[in-house]
Amino acid sequence: MSGSSLRSFEYLESLPGTVFNRLYQQPSTALAIFRRMLTHLAKTFVMAMLYIGHPLSVADLESWVRPDSRRERDQAINLLERLHILRVTADPGKPRAYTITNPFLGSLRLALTGGGNHNSFGVPCNTPDKNPINVAELDEYARRQWEGVLSYMVGSAGASLVDEGVRLSDGVKKLLKDGGLVKQRFSKAEITQEGFAFILQEVNAQVWTVLIYYLDAAEEMNMDSVDVLSFLFMLGSLELGQDYSKATLTPTQLQMLDDLSDFGIVYQHATTSSRFYPTRLATTLTSDSGALRSASAGFDNALRSPDGKGFIVIETNYRVYAYTTSQLQIAILQLFTRLSTRYPNMVAGKITRESIRHAVAMGITSEQIISFLTTHAHPQMRKNNPILPATVVDQIRLWQIEGERMKATPGFLFKDFLTAADYEACSKYAEEIGVSVWKNENRRMFFVTRYEQVAAYLKNRPKKIVGS
């Protein structure tokens, strides 16, 4: 199961059975879950039982699988039961049997054979668009909008990188913040550890991650979460390049169109338009196809050079050379690299102790940095074994450990006590009031986070003690 499938499956698994009953009333939802969530063996079970018309005994189903594949069989059955697709019937006097639940059974049959007036797969417009938009334009729109989201996350750590013409709504920024992908630091947003992990995902997994956050926020926005989820599965079944009518959409789904447009998942000429176009980000929600195919139109490929290969070169002296002109790529590098020089087709810089500690302070781990550099290493680097210089990898890890091992605590040092009794009395008092951090009895000194009460104690003692 891919990362995006796993993310959506974990969300579905948390839903109660009554929600599945509503979801499976839509043929598009039943088909999407069948295509996206089930293993090959689970699909085989469903298709074999779809038209038999009666429960299948447990013994018969188990006989379909070889004894040495019992583990795979049990996993498939467990998956179907967790998704409320398969259930066990136990009638008196009859052996235990499996049956496909309704309405999943009827909806999947309808999705495969067609017919009905459910409008579950969208309603194509029956009038031509006065301003038609082609697939290439939809891909460019999706790329621009999605990179605008990523640029906001990455650019929040440095210069603003939101593409010209891309304006993220306050709702998008709030969703990213509530999802923990960015955090508020003083007066600006800053990427988090979860946000950097999000950046490293493939596009389809990124989209599903954001949509799960959107589903979590549906109740707060007075939206029906089942209606929201059904509409997302419907979008995954639509045809790229086809325009669809808004006439059959619910109020919740109409509101969703405006929100999803900000992410580049759907396109509409205007909010008042009577039609909308799904982009590739939408039509690949329930498939394993790439969310953005062309090298210039996807973030996965945007993190590589135009020929689809890696672009980063690292030397043993920690120098970094990145053959790129993309502001997004440069901004990601700038999260953990001190860039010093920029050429027409390349930027150069150095990985330093300060740059790594700055990244660690934002929650980015050394392993994430190493993974990013390895994934996007230049072809020349890939001829080496290991790909990255061992000295660089080890030092990045050590710099993170150094930051975790050492913690700076602002405070005040008291020393030069005249007698041991005076030192012990003051040190004990600091411990009692909870301000003592460190002490050294042999050298008669201790360190506190606040000095006011200790200073007052010294002042009120009968014998004056010199403290500094």
Side-chain angles (χ1 to χ4, degrees), residues 366-385:
S366 59
E367 294 304 321
Q368 287 178 324
I369 295 172
I370 293 167
S371 174
F372 178 84
L373 294 173
T374 303
T375 302
H376 303 293
H378 192 277
Q380 288 296 115
M381 296 286 296
R382 295 190 172 277
K383 296 179 181 179
N384 304 328
N385 187 18

Side-chain angles (χ1 to χ4, degrees), residues 131-140 240-241 277:
N131 300 297
I133 184 168
N134 58 38
V135 173
E137 292 171 327
L138 286 173
D139 280 346
E140 174 60 22
L240 182 65
Y277 292 81

Side-chain angles (χ1 to χ4, degrees), residues 89-95:
T89 60
D91 296 331
K94 295 183 179 180

Side-chain angles (χ1 to χ4, degrees), residues 148-176:
V149 174
L150 300 177
S151 296
Y152 168 74
M153 293 174 57
V154 179
S156 60
S160 176
L161 295 173
V162 178
D163 199 355
E164 288 297 325
V166 178
R167 296 292 181 266
L168 298 185
S169 66
D170 292 338
V172 171
K173 296 177 181 179
K174 184 178 185 300
L175 192 66
L176 296 176

Side-chain angles (χ1 to χ4, degrees), residues 343-373:
Y343 300 98
N345 66 336
M346 184 187 76
V347 293
K350 191 173 185 180
I351 294 177
T352 66
R353 177 174 178 267
E354 289 73 22
S355 65
I356 295 298
R357 291 190 65 179
H358 175 70
V360 170
M362 290 190 294
I364 301 172
T365 67
S366 59
E367 294 304 321
Q368 287 178 324
I369 295 172
I370 293 167
S371 174
F372 178 84
L373 294 173

